[in-house]
Amino acid sequence: MNHEDPVLLHTVGHVLHITLNRPRAINALTHPMVRLIDEALAAAERDDSVTAVLITGAGQRGLCAGGDIRAIYEDARAGGRTSVGFWRDEYRLNARIGRFPKPYVAVMDGIVMGGGVGVSAHGSIRIVTERSRIAMPETGIGFVPDVGGTHLLASAPGELGTHLALTGDAIGAADALLCGLADHFVPSQRLADLVRDLAGSATPAEIAGTVQRYATAAPAGELAAQRDWIDACYAARSVEEIVDRLQNCGVPTAKETAETILAKSPTALKTTLASVRSARRLGTLEAVLDQEYRVSCVAFTRPDLAEGVRAQIIDKDRNPQWRPARLTEVTDADVAAFFEPLGDHELGLVRADPVTD
């Protein structure tokens, strides 16, 4: 194992350890990393000596800050298609994680955003700590939640998922547990001991029991106390009506939330709302990933993605010039175009045979 590799693999006891190893970039995913993880999981499925997988992130800042959006920005600016190939492999990896037949233990410590959610929150055992900050922040860069994120958010209680999808807000441990993005809270100072003890766990029941022994109650979150206005406001049919309800419901936090939403890409907001609501109807992770791939392929060709990344990451002026600039200028036809079938270029997880190796 070369400690400079972007993904480190080693087996301790019966557990395959996967470590995302780009700590200076908060372990942001690249295309080679996605392929390495997928290959490792495929091998682990076949290896009877491996009874579980554990995924962690190197460094102290987080599991994974998402995909390498600088690379996506450069690709979009150059008129390339490399990013589309990255998403194809990434979403197939997300599907593999979702149906992985052995315990898949994800330590969602620190920052876990975008693609980081995709390699963790579809696992069977998802651990958060007091340092966890989990988000799908795509609307802020003119994009739409992907990596199965709309599937996860659509399954959250009430309208909490819609709230998180539109605002891109980061949440802590208790709120991640409430929203179904995580299963257990383990204090960060106990993670090393948990990882050590997992190595001696030989069966799924032993893996689950080991995690349970370390799990405890999470510190209080914020969303449970806000359910009344969140559920009432986000039940509206359109983004415009959601914003209107937020501005006029009489709750100061709701009014601030309306301003947060209005700073995002209007096109991304409307497409995100349609994506989450469609994900509820689609039901399965594979069907939603197929839909997200269509949406991502179209978003890649639209100006807001490159502009959002420019404003937030490249120039950092925090002043994106969205096109169009207002919600009222984004038509139903504009949104529908994101969901059009791709013909021979579909991701095809639903109609395809299970991923083989």
mmCIF file of all heavy atoms in Angstrom, residues 88-135:
data_model
loop_
_atom_site.group_PDB
_atom_site.id
_atom_site.type_symbol
_atom_site.label_atom_id
_atom_site.label_comp_id
_atom_site.label_asym_id
_atom_site.label_seq_id
_atom_site.Cartn_x
_atom_site.Cartn_y
_atom_site.Cartn_z
ATOM 1 N N ARG A 88 -21.337 8.831 -14.460
ATOM 2 C CA ARG A 88 -21.816 7.481 -14.789
ATOM 3 C C ARG A 88 -21.204 6.453 -13.843
ATOM 4 O O ARG A 88 -21.907 5.606 -13.285
ATOM 5 C CB ARG A 88 -21.486 7.146 -16.253
ATOM 6 C CG ARG A 88 -21.858 5.734 -16.662
ATOM 7 C CD ARG A 88 -21.621 5.491 -18.140
ATOM 8 N NE ARG A 88 -22.618 6.164 -18.957
ATOM 9 C CZ ARG A 88 -23.800 5.657 -19.279
ATOM 10 N NH1 ARG A 88 -24.147 4.454 -18.835
ATOM 11 N NH2 ARG A 88 -24.641 6.327 -20.030
ATOM 12 N N ASP A 89 -19.900 6.532 -13.649
ATOM 13 C CA ASP A 89 -19.242 5.569 -12.762
ATOM 14 C C ASP A 89 -19.571 5.843 -11.294
ATOM 15 O O ASP A 89 -19.722 4.904 -10.500
ATOM 16 C CB ASP A 89 -17.725 5.613 -12.974
ATOM 17 C CG ASP A 89 -17.303 4.960 -14.277
ATOM 18 O OD1 ASP A 89 -18.122 4.227 -14.873
ATOM 19 O OD2 ASP A 89 -16.160 5.185 -14.714
ATOM 20 N N GLU A 90 -19.682 7.112 -10.926
ATOM 21 C CA GLU A 90 -19.990 7.451 -9.536
ATOM 22 C C GLU A 90 -21.374 6.956 -9.139
ATOM 23 O O GLU A 90 -21.552 6.368 -8.065
ATOM 24 C CB GLU A 90 -19.901 8.964 -9.334
ATOM 25 C CG GLU A 90 -20.109 9.396 -7.886
ATOM 26 C CD GLU A 90 -20.068 10.898 -7.718
ATOM 27 O OE1 GLU A 90 -20.359 11.631 -8.687
ATOM 28 O OE2 GLU A 90 -19.757 11.353 -6.602
ATOM 29 N N TYR A 91 -22.368 7.170 -9.998
ATOM 30 C CA TYR A 91 -23.725 6.755 -9.655
ATOM 31 C C TYR A 91 -23.855 5.237 -9.627
ATOM 32 O O TYR A 91 -24.609 4.675 -8.830
ATOM 33 C CB TYR A 91 -24.729 7.360 -10.636
ATOM 34 C CG TYR A 91 -24.753 8.878 -10.679
ATOM 35 C CD1 TYR A 91 -25.530 9.534 -11.623
ATOM 36 C CD2 TYR A 91 -23.989 9.652 -9.800
ATOM 37 C CE1 TYR A 91 -25.555 10.927 -11.687
ATOM 38 C CE2 TYR A 91 -24.014 11.038 -9.862
ATOM 39 C CZ TYR A 91 -24.796 11.669 -10.812
ATOM 40 O OH TYR A 91 -24.817 13.045 -10.883
ATOM 41 N N ARG A 92 -23.103 4.562 -10.482
ATOM 42 C CA ARG A 92 -23.095 3.101 -10.427
ATOM 43 C C ARG A 92 -22.450 2.614 -9.121
ATOM 44 O O ARG A 92 -22.875 1.617 -8.542
ATOM 45 C CB ARG A 92 -22.377 2.528 -11.651
ATOM 46 C CG ARG A 92 -23.174 2.722 -12.942
ATOM 47 C CD ARG A 92 -22.409 2.262 -14.174
ATOM 48 N NE ARG A 92 -22.291 0.814 -14.237
ATOM 49 C CZ ARG A 92 -23.241 0.007 -14.710
ATOM 50 N NH1 ARG A 92 -24.384 0.494 -15.148
ATOM 51 N NH2 ARG A 92 -23.051 -1.301 -14.757
ATOM 52 N N LEU A 93 -21.430 3.324 -8.656
ATOM 53 C CA LEU A 93 -20.848 3.017 -7.349
ATOM 54 C C LEU A 93 -21.873 3.231 -6.240
ATOM 55 O O LEU A 93 -21.997 2.400 -5.327
ATOM 56 C CB LEU A 93 -19.614 3.876 -7.105
ATOM 57 C CG LEU A 93 -19.037 3.836 -5.685
ATOM 58 C CD1 LEU A 93 -18.580 2.429 -5.310
ATOM 59 C CD2 LEU A 93 -17.892 4.842 -5.540
ATOM 60 N N ASN A 94 -22.612 4.333 -6.296
ATOM 61 C CA ASN A 94 -23.648 4.588 -5.286
ATOM 62 C C ASN A 94 -24.658 3.444 -5.252
ATOM 63 O O ASN A 94 -25.077 3.011 -4.167
ATOM 64 C CB ASN A 94 -24.374 5.895 -5.584
ATOM 65 C CG ASN A 94 -23.475 7.113 -5.636
ATOM 66 O OD1 ASN A 94 -23.694 8.018 -6.426
ATOM 67 N ND2 ASN A 94 -22.441 7.137 -4.808
ATOM 68 N N ALA A 95 -25.046 2.960 -6.429
ATOM 69 C CA ALA A 95 -25.984 1.832 -6.493
ATOM 70 C C ALA A 95 -25.368 0.576 -5.891
ATOM 71 O O ALA A 95 -26.046 -0.184 -5.180
ATOM 72 C CB ALA A 95 -26.404 1.576 -7.939
ATOM 73 N N ARG A 96 -24.094 0.329 -6.153
ATOM 74 C CA ARG A 96 -23.430 -0.857 -5.589
ATOM 75 C C ARG A 96 -23.422 -0.778 -4.060
ATOM 76 O O ARG A 96 -23.689 -1.773 -3.370
ATOM 77 C CB ARG A 96 -21.993 -0.976 -6.109
ATOM 78 C CG ARG A 96 -21.314 -2.258 -5.628
ATOM 79 C CD ARG A 96 -19.841 -2.295 -5.976
ATOM 80 N NE ARG A 96 -19.579 -2.467 -7.379
ATOM 81 C CZ ARG A 96 -19.662 -3.621 -8.045
ATOM 82 N NH1 ARG A 96 -20.050 -4.717 -7.427
ATOM 83 N NH2 ARG A 96 -19.359 -3.677 -9.324
ATOM 84 N N ILE A 97 -23.123 0.405 -3.522
ATOM 85 C CA ILE A 97 -23.102 0.574 -2.071
ATOM 86 C C ILE A 97 -24.498 0.300 -1.500
ATOM 87 O O ILE A 97 -24.643 -0.351 -0.463
ATOM 88 C CB ILE A 97 -22.621 1.986 -1.704
ATOM 89 C CG1 ILE A 97 -21.142 2.151 -2.069
ATOM 90 C CG2 ILE A 97 -22.837 2.274 -0.216
ATOM 91 C CD1 ILE A 97 -20.638 3.583 -2.003
ATOM 92 N N GLY A 98 -25.533 0.795 -2.187
ATOM 93 C CA GLY A 98 -26.887 0.623 -1.705
ATOM 94 C C GLY A 98 -27.328 -0.820 -1.617
ATOM 95 O O GLY A 98 -28.179 -1.157 -0.773
ATOM 96 N N ARG A 99 -26.788 -1.673 -2.465
ATOM 97 C CA ARG A 99 -27.194 -3.084 -2.427
ATOM 98 C C ARG A 99 -26.055 -4.001 -1.961
ATOM 99 O O ARG A 99 -26.143 -5.220 -2.116
ATOM 100 C CB ARG A 99 -27.662 -3.523 -3.817
ATOM 101 C CG ARG A 99 -26.594 -3.496 -4.873
ATOM 102 C CD ARG A 99 -27.048 -4.219 -6.155
ATOM 103 N NE ARG A 99 -26.001 -4.117 -7.138
ATOM 104 C CZ ARG A 99 -25.841 -3.097 -7.972
ATOM 105 N NH1 ARG A 99 -26.684 -2.091 -7.947
ATOM 106 N NH2 ARG A 99 -24.845 -3.065 -8.838
ATOM 107 N N PHE A 100 -25.003 -3.417 -1.374
ATOM 108 C CA PHE A 100 -23.856 -4.226 -0.958
ATOM 109 C C PHE A 100 -24.327 -5.292 0.032
ATOM 110 O O PHE A 100 -25.016 -4.988 1.006
ATOM 111 C CB PHE A 100 -22.784 -3.333 -0.329
ATOM 112 C CG PHE A 100 -21.454 -4.009 -0.170
ATOM 113 C CD1 PHE A 100 -20.691 -4.331 -1.276
ATOM 114 C CD2 PHE A 100 -20.971 -4.310 1.091
ATOM 115 C CE1 PHE A 100 -19.461 -4.958 -1.143
ATOM 116 C CE2 PHE A 100 -19.747 -4.938 1.249
ATOM 117 C CZ PHE A 100 -18.988 -5.259 0.125
ATOM 118 N N PRO A 101 -23.970 -6.562 -0.184
ATOM 119 C CA PRO A 101 -24.578 -7.654 0.586
ATOM 120 C C PRO A 101 -23.972 -7.869 1.972
ATOM 121 O O PRO A 101 -24.471 -8.703 2.727
ATOM 122 C CB PRO A 101 -24.324 -8.871 -0.310
ATOM 123 C CG PRO A 101 -23.065 -8.544 -1.040
ATOM 124 C CD PRO A 101 -23.133 -7.060 -1.287
ATOM 125 N N LYS A 102 -22.926 -7.157 2.292
ATOM 126 C CA LYS A 102 -22.284 -7.290 3.600
ATOM 127 C C LYS A 102 -22.383 -5.958 4.342
ATOM 128 O O LYS A 102 -22.646 -4.924 3.718
ATOM 129 C CB LYS A 102 -20.812 -7.702 3.417
ATOM 130 C CG LYS A 102 -20.638 -8.998 2.634
ATOM 131 C CD LYS A 102 -19.176 -9.309 2.359
ATOM 132 C CE LYS A 102 -19.043 -10.575 1.501
ATOM 133 N NZ LYS A 102 -17.622 -10.932 1.240
ATOM 134 N N PRO A 103 -22.182 -5.950 5.658
ATOM 135 C CA PRO A 103 -22.226 -4.667 6.366
ATOM 136 C C PRO A 103 -21.251 -3.663 5.760
ATOM 137 O O PRO A 103 -20.078 -3.975 5.519
ATOM 138 C CB PRO A 103 -21.816 -5.053 7.788
ATOM 139 C CG PRO A 103 -22.228 -6.476 7.931
ATOM 140 C CD PRO A 103 -21.982 -7.092 6.584
ATOM 141 N N TYR A 104 -21.768 -2.466 5.504
ATOM 142 C CA TYR A 104 -20.962 -1.368 4.948
ATOM 143 C C TYR A 104 -21.022 -0.254 5.983
ATOM 144 O O TYR A 104 -22.047 0.409 6.142
ATOM 145 C CB TYR A 104 -21.546 -0.920 3.612
ATOM 146 C CG TYR A 104 -20.775 0.167 2.886
ATOM 147 C CD1 TYR A 104 -19.885 -0.155 1.860
ATOM 148 C CD2 TYR A 104 -20.957 1.517 3.207
ATOM 149 C CE1 TYR A 104 -19.188 0.838 1.178
ATOM 150 C CE2 TYR A 104 -20.269 2.511 2.526
ATOM 151 C CZ TYR A 104 -19.386 2.173 1.520
ATOM 152 O OH TYR A 104 -18.704 3.162 0.836
ATOM 153 N N VAL A 105 -19.945 -0.087 6.720
ATOM 154 C CA VAL A 105 -19.906 0.845 7.841
ATOM 155 C C VAL A 105 -19.243 2.142 7.376
ATOM 156 O O VAL A 105 -18.078 2.140 6.982
ATOM 157 C CB VAL A 105 -19.121 0.248 9.024
ATOM 158 C CG1 VAL A 105 -19.163 1.195 10.219
ATOM 159 C CG2 VAL A 105 -19.674 -1.129 9.400
ATOM 160 N N ALA A 106 -19.994 3.223 7.414
ATOM 161 C CA ALA A 106 -19.488 4.523 6.981
ATOM 162 C C ALA A 106 -19.322 5.430 8.188
ATOM 163 O O ALA A 106 -20.283 5.681 8.915
ATOM 164 C CB ALA A 106 -20.445 5.155 5.976
ATOM 165 N N VAL A 107 -18.116 5.922 8.381
ATOM 166 C CA VAL A 107 -17.851 6.864 9.472
ATOM 167 C C VAL A 107 -17.960 8.273 8.903
ATOM 168 O O VAL A 107 -17.054 8.778 8.241
ATOM 169 C CB VAL A 107 -16.466 6.611 10.096
ATOM 170 C CG1 VAL A 107 -16.186 7.640 11.198
ATOM 171 C CG2 VAL A 107 -16.388 5.200 10.670
ATOM 172 N N MET A 108 -19.102 8.904 9.169
ATOM 173 C CA MET A 108 -19.424 10.208 8.587
ATOM 174 C C MET A 108 -18.978 11.325 9.542
ATOM 175 O O MET A 108 -19.755 12.189 9.948
ATOM 176 C CB MET A 108 -20.910 10.274 8.275
ATOM 177 C CG MET A 108 -21.367 9.181 7.320
ATOM 178 S SD MET A 108 -23.160 9.039 7.140
ATOM 179 C CE MET A 108 -23.542 10.483 6.144
ATOM 180 N N ASP A 109 -17.707 11.314 9.869
ATOM 181 C CA ASP A 109 -17.125 12.283 10.790
ATOM 182 C C ASP A 109 -16.717 13.538 10.030
ATOM 183 O O ASP A 109 -16.214 13.458 8.908
ATOM 184 C CB ASP A 109 -15.906 11.650 11.462
ATOM 185 C CG ASP A 109 -15.317 12.512 12.565
ATOM 186 O OD1 ASP A 109 -16.090 13.224 13.244
ATOM 187 O OD2 ASP A 109 -14.082 12.462 12.756
ATOM 188 N N GLY A 110 -16.927 14.706 10.606
ATOM 189 C CA GLY A 110 -16.526 15.957 9.969
ATOM 190 C C GLY A 110 -17.415 16.306 8.792
ATOM 191 O O GLY A 110 -18.617 16.030 8.780
ATOM 192 N N ILE A 111 -16.809 16.903 7.767
ATOM 193 C CA ILE A 111 -17.555 17.356 6.595
ATOM 194 C C ILE A 111 -17.902 16.176 5.701
ATOM 195 O O ILE A 111 -17.037 15.394 5.307
ATOM 196 C CB ILE A 111 -16.731 18.401 5.821
ATOM 197 C CG1 ILE A 111 -16.601 19.680 6.653
ATOM 198 C CG2 ILE A 111 -17.368 18.718 4.471
ATOM 199 C CD1 ILE A 111 -15.642 20.699 6.064
ATOM 200 N N VAL A 112 -19.188 16.062 5.372
ATOM 201 C CA VAL A 112 -19.679 15.012 4.462
ATOM 202 C C VAL A 112 -20.686 15.688 3.542
ATOM 203 O O VAL A 112 -21.818 15.936 3.930
ATOM 204 C CB VAL A 112 -20.342 13.849 5.227
ATOM 205 C CG1 VAL A 112 -20.717 12.729 4.259
ATOM 206 C CG2 VAL A 112 -19.445 13.329 6.341
ATOM 207 N N MET A 113 -20.273 15.989 2.330
ATOM 208 C CA MET A 113 -21.118 16.745 1.426
ATOM 209 C C MET A 113 -21.135 16.132 0.030
ATOM 210 O O MET A 113 -20.154 15.517 -0.401
ATOM 211 C CB MET A 113 -20.652 18.202 1.341
ATOM 212 C CG MET A 113 -20.754 18.952 2.655
ATOM 213 S SD MET A 113 -20.335 20.710 2.503
ATOM 214 C CE MET A 113 -20.646 21.250 4.191
ATOM 215 N N GLY A 114 -22.245 16.317 -0.679
ATOM 216 C CA GLY A 114 -22.327 15.885 -2.070
ATOM 217 C C GLY A 114 -21.903 14.445 -2.247
ATOM 218 O O GLY A 114 -22.488 13.515 -1.676
ATOM 219 N N GLY A 115 -20.859 14.246 -3.045
ATOM 220 C CA GLY A 115 -20.365 12.900 -3.308
ATOM 221 C C GLY A 115 -19.965 12.140 -2.059
ATOM 222 O O GLY A 115 -19.979 10.904 -2.049
ATOM 223 N N GLY A 116 -19.614 12.861 -0.993
ATOM 224 C CA GLY A 116 -19.318 12.208 0.276
ATOM 225 C C GLY A 116 -20.536 11.540 0.866
ATOM 226 O O GLY A 116 -20.444 10.472 1.481
ATOM 227 N N VAL A 117 -21.711 12.156 0.668
ATOM 228 C CA VAL A 117 -22.961 11.524 1.080
ATOM 229 C C VAL A 117 -23.194 10.265 0.254
ATOM 230 O O VAL A 117 -23.631 9.234 0.763
ATOM 231 C CB VAL A 117 -24.139 12.511 0.942
ATOM 232 C CG1 VAL A 117 -25.476 11.818 1.205
ATOM 233 C CG2 VAL A 117 -23.956 13.704 1.883
ATOM 234 N N GLY A 118 -22.851 10.329 -1.036
ATOM 235 C CA GLY A 118 -23.069 9.191 -1.922
ATOM 236 C C GLY A 118 -22.275 7.958 -1.555
ATOM 237 O O GLY A 118 -22.736 6.832 -1.759
ATOM 238 N N VAL A 119 -21.066 8.124 -0.991
ATOM 239 C CA VAL A 119 -20.252 6.963 -0.628
ATOM 240 C C VAL A 119 -20.457 6.545 0.820
ATOM 241 O O VAL A 119 -19.781 5.633 1.297
ATOM 242 C CB VAL A 119 -18.745 7.204 -0.884
ATOM 243 C CG1 VAL A 119 -18.486 7.404 -2.367
ATOM 244 C CG2 VAL A 119 -18.206 8.363 -0.062
ATOM 245 N N SER A 120 -21.391 7.183 1.511
ATOM 246 C CA SER A 120 -21.607 6.848 2.917
ATOM 247 C C SER A 120 -23.069 6.567 3.249
ATOM 248 O O SER A 120 -23.391 5.527 3.826
ATOM 249 C CB SER A 120 -21.084 7.966 3.819
ATOM 250 O OG SER A 120 -21.712 9.213 3.532
ATOM 251 N N ALA A 121 -23.962 7.476 2.883
ATOM 252 C CA ALA A 121 -25.343 7.406 3.374
ATOM 253 C C ALA A 121 -26.181 6.308 2.733
ATOM 254 O O ALA A 121 -27.295 6.056 3.178
ATOM 255 C CB ALA A 121 -26.035 8.750 3.208
ATOM 256 N N HIS A 122 -25.677 5.642 1.697
ATOM 257 C CA HIS A 122 -26.369 4.475 1.143
ATOM 258 C C HIS A 122 -25.906 3.187 1.809
ATOM 259 O O HIS A 122 -26.407 2.105 1.477
ATOM 260 C CB HIS A 122 -26.163 4.388 -0.371
ATOM 261 C CG HIS A 122 -26.652 5.580 -1.116
ATOM 262 N ND1 HIS A 122 -27.964 6.016 -1.047
ATOM 263 C CD2 HIS A 122 -26.013 6.459 -1.934
ATOM 264 C CE1 HIS A 122 -28.110 7.092 -1.796
ATOM 265 N NE2 HIS A 122 -26.950 7.382 -2.338
ATOM 266 N N GLY A 123 -24.955 3.285 2.725
ATOM 267 C CA GLY A 123 -24.463 2.108 3.419
ATOM 268 C C GLY A 123 -25.445 1.607 4.459
ATOM 269 O O GLY A 123 -26.429 2.274 4.808
ATOM 270 N N SER A 124 -25.174 0.429 4.989
ATOM 271 C CA SER A 124 -26.099 -0.211 5.926
ATOM 272 C C SER A 124 -25.896 0.230 7.365
ATOM 273 O O SER A 124 -26.815 0.130 8.181
ATOM 274 C CB SER A 124 -25.975 -1.735 5.821
ATOM 275 O OG SER A 124 -24.630 -2.145 5.997
ATOM 276 N N ILE A 125 -24.695 0.723 7.711
ATOM 277 C CA ILE A 125 -24.408 1.195 9.066
ATOM 278 C C ILE A 125 -23.696 2.545 8.942
ATOM 279 O O ILE A 125 -22.530 2.604 8.550
ATOM 280 C CB ILE A 125 -23.547 0.198 9.858
ATOM 281 C CG1 ILE A 125 -24.257 -1.157 9.959
ATOM 282 C CG2 ILE A 125 -23.226 0.740 11.241
ATOM 283 C CD1 ILE A 125 -23.434 -2.238 10.643
ATOM 284 N N ARG A 126 -24.398 3.617 9.296
ATOM 285 C CA ARG A 126 -23.883 4.970 9.067
ATOM 286 C C ARG A 126 -23.715 5.676 10.406
ATOM 287 O O ARG A 126 -24.669 5.847 11.145
ATOM 288 C CB ARG A 126 -24.842 5.727 8.157
ATOM 289 C CG ARG A 126 -25.102 4.966 6.841
ATOM 290 C CD ARG A 126 -26.351 5.426 6.141
ATOM 291 N NE ARG A 126 -27.543 5.261 6.977
ATOM 292 C CZ ARG A 126 -28.761 5.716 6.659
ATOM 293 N NH1 ARG A 126 -28.937 6.360 5.514
ATOM 294 N NH2 ARG A 126 -29.796 5.529 7.464
ATOM 295 N N ILE A 127 -22.475 6.080 10.671
ATOM 296 C CA ILE A 127 -22.116 6.621 11.977
ATOM 297 C C ILE A 127 -21.807 8.113 11.852
ATOM 298 O O ILE A 127 -21.024 8.529 10.987
ATOM 299 C CB ILE A 127 -20.887 5.877 12.537
ATOM 300 C CG1 ILE A 127 -21.234 4.401 12.771
ATOM 301 C CG2 ILE A 127 -20.377 6.527 13.824
ATOM 302 C CD1 ILE A 127 -20.025 3.526 13.009
ATOM 303 N N VAL A 128 -22.411 8.911 12.733
ATOM 304 C CA VAL A 128 -22.103 10.336 12.808
ATOM 305 C C VAL A 128 -21.499 10.651 14.171
ATOM 306 O O VAL A 128 -21.661 9.885 15.132
ATOM 307 C CB VAL A 128 -23.355 11.202 12.559
ATOM 308 C CG1 VAL A 128 -23.714 11.232 11.088
ATOM 309 C CG2 VAL A 128 -24.543 10.725 13.390
ATOM 310 N N THR A 129 -20.817 11.788 14.250
ATOM 311 C CA THR A 129 -20.187 12.244 15.487
ATOM 312 C C THR A 129 -20.602 13.688 15.752
ATOM 313 O O THR A 129 -21.312 14.304 14.942
ATOM 314 C CB THR A 129 -18.651 12.182 15.382
ATOM 315 O OG1 THR A 129 -18.187 13.284 14.573
ATOM 316 C CG2 THR A 129 -18.179 10.870 14.764
ATOM 317 N N GLU A 130 -20.124 14.224 16.863
ATOM 318 C CA GLU A 130 -20.419 15.625 17.177
ATOM 319 C C GLU A 130 -19.767 16.584 16.189
ATOM 320 O O GLU A 130 -20.137 17.764 16.122
ATOM 321 C CB GLU A 130 -19.974 15.954 18.614
ATOM 322 C CG GLU A 130 -18.484 16.136 18.815
ATOM 323 C CD GLU A 130 -17.680 14.834 18.844
ATOM 324 O OE1 GLU A 130 -18.303 13.733 18.805
ATOM 325 O OE2 GLU A 130 -16.441 14.914 18.917
ATOM 326 N N ARG A 131 -18.837 16.097 15.372
ATOM 327 C CA ARG A 131 -18.177 16.947 14.373
ATOM 328 C C ARG A 131 -18.835 16.872 13.000
ATOM 329 O O ARG A 131 -18.446 17.602 12.087
ATOM 330 C CB ARG A 131 -16.705 16.539 14.247
ATOM 331 C CG ARG A 131 -15.931 16.648 15.541
ATOM 332 C CD ARG A 131 -14.448 16.415 15.371
ATOM 333 N NE ARG A 131 -14.122 15.088 14.849
ATOM 334 C CZ ARG A 131 -12.965 14.471 15.044
ATOM 335 N NH1 ARG A 131 -12.034 15.069 15.784
ATOM 336 N NH2 ARG A 131 -12.729 13.268 14.530
ATOM 337 N N SER A 132 -19.808 16.008 12.831
ATOM 338 C CA SER A 132 -20.411 15.793 11.511
ATOM 339 C C SER A 132 -21.141 17.043 11.019
ATOM 340 O O SER A 132 -21.913 17.660 11.752
ATOM 341 C CB SER A 132 -21.390 14.618 11.558
ATOM 342 O OG SER A 132 -20.732 13.409 11.866
ATOM 343 N N ARG A 133 -20.884 17.370 9.749
ATOM 344 C CA ARG A 133 -21.624 18.429 9.058
ATOM 345 C C ARG A 133 -21.974 17.872 7.688
ATOM 346 O O ARG A 133 -21.118 17.730 6.812
ATOM 347 C CB ARG A 133 -20.798 19.708 8.920
ATOM 348 C CG ARG A 133 -20.384 20.319 10.242
ATOM 349 C CD ARG A 133 -21.574 20.689 11.113
ATOM 350 N NE ARG A 133 -22.389 21.750 10.523
ATOM 351 C CZ ARG A 133 -23.603 22.058 10.951
ATOM 352 N NH1 ARG A 133 -24.171 21.378 11.934
ATOM 353 N NH2 ARG A 133 -24.275 23.036 10.376
ATOM 354 N N ILE A 134 -23.248 17.542 7.519
ATOM 355 C CA ILE A 134 -23.701 16.807 6.341
ATOM 356 C C ILE A 134 -24.590 17.705 5.495
ATOM 357 O O ILE A 134 -25.496 18.368 6.020
ATOM 358 C CB ILE A 134 -24.458 15.543 6.778
ATOM 359 C CG1 ILE A 134 -23.513 14.647 7.599
ATOM 360 C CG2 ILE A 134 -25.015 14.786 5.579
ATOM 361 C CD1 ILE A 134 -24.208 13.520 8.325
ATOM 362 N N ALA A 135 -24.343 17.727 4.186
ATOM 363 C CA ALA A 135 -25.134 18.614 3.325
ATOM 364 C C ALA A 135 -25.129 18.126 1.890
ATOM 365 O O ALA A 135 -24.200 17.452 1.438
ATOM 366 C CB ALA A 135 -24.579 20.043 3.377
#
